[in-house]
Amino acid sequence: MFNESLDASHELSQEIDNATGSYWHGIMHRMEGDYSNAKYWFHRVGRHPVYEELSRMAGEYIRGENLGKVASTSLRQSLSTIGNRAAWDPLAFVDAVKQQVTVAREEAADGMLRHIQWLEMHLLLQYAYAQSGGEGRLVELE
C-alpha cells in the first residue's frame, strides 16, 4: 500500500481473516476511491487496537495545522471534527477523503489527509509487525 500496489494489497488483505485484514482491505478500497466498499470493510473492523493512538496522533496533527487554509467550509469542518474526536472514526475519515477527491480538490487538505493516512498505515503496520512476533518498532513515528 505504501507504493499504491492496490491489486496486490487487495489480494493479500482478502486472505487475512481478522480485524487487521479488514482494516487493510478498507484502506485499499478508500485509496482506490470505492468509498462505500471501504466503509463496509471498516464496519467489519470494529474497534481496532490502533484507533486510540491514531485518534491521538491525528488529533494533534490536525490541531497543529492551519485549517483556515482549507477553503471548503465543509471539508474544514470535517477535518476539525476528526481532530477533536475522542475516538478514531474511520467512516468520517472516508467521508473526508471522498469529499476531497470528488469535490474540494484542495492542495492543503490533500496534504493533511495524506499525512493522516500515512500515520494510520504506519500504526497499522507496527501493530501487524508486533502481532507477528516482531520485537521493537519498525520505525519511530514523529
Side-chain angles (χ1 to χ4, degrees):
M1 283 210 190
F2 285 101
N3 63 8
E4 297 186 12
S5 297
L6 298 180
D7 289 337
S9 173
H10 191 258
E11 190 172 309
L12 289 170
S13 63
Q14 275 188 303
E15 294 180 18
I16 306 170
D17 190 23
N18 59 29
T20 300
S22 293
Y23 200 152
W24 284 119
H25 206 144
I27 291 172
M28 185 277 309
H29 281 296
R30 187 181 65 214
M31 288 178 72
E32 75 176 354
D34 186 353
Y35 304 111
S36 62
N37 208 0
K39 285 183 172 186
Y40 166 82
W41 286 100
F42 286 123
H43 275 294
R44 290 189 55 159
V45 171
R47 287 282 311 143
H48 198 278
V50 303
Y51 281 179
E52 184 177 337
E53 182 68 4
L54 178 57
S55 180
R56 184 192 67 74
M57 292 179 81
E60 283 179 8
Y61 169 72
I62 292 169
R63 289 187 302 274
E65 289 295 302
N66 176 8
L67 292 180
K69 60 186 176 180
V70 177
S72 166
T73 303
S74 59
L75 187 53
R76 188 172 53 249
Q77 180 59 45
S78 293
L79 285 164
S80 178
T81 299
I82 290 168
N84 289 305
R85 280 209 167 118
W88 180 249
D89 183 350
L91 305 182
F93 190 64
V94 169
D95 289 339
V97 169
K98 180 181 180 182
Q99 188 174 13
Q100 164 61 18
V101 170
T102 62
V103 179
R105 298 182 182 143
E106 294 189 32
E107 187 175 335
D110 188 70
M112 289 180 207
L113 293 167
R114 286 180 186 273
H115 183 77
I116 295 165
Q117 180 172 266
W118 179 87
L119 291 171
E120 176 186 49
M121 291 170 65
H122 269 79
L123 287 169
L124 191 56
L125 185 59
Q126 295 282 20
Y127 175 82
Y129 176 70
Q131 291 301 113
S132 72
E135 295 181 17
R137 294 180 81 62
L138 291 171
V139 294
E140 290 300 317
L141 293 175
E142 301 172 2

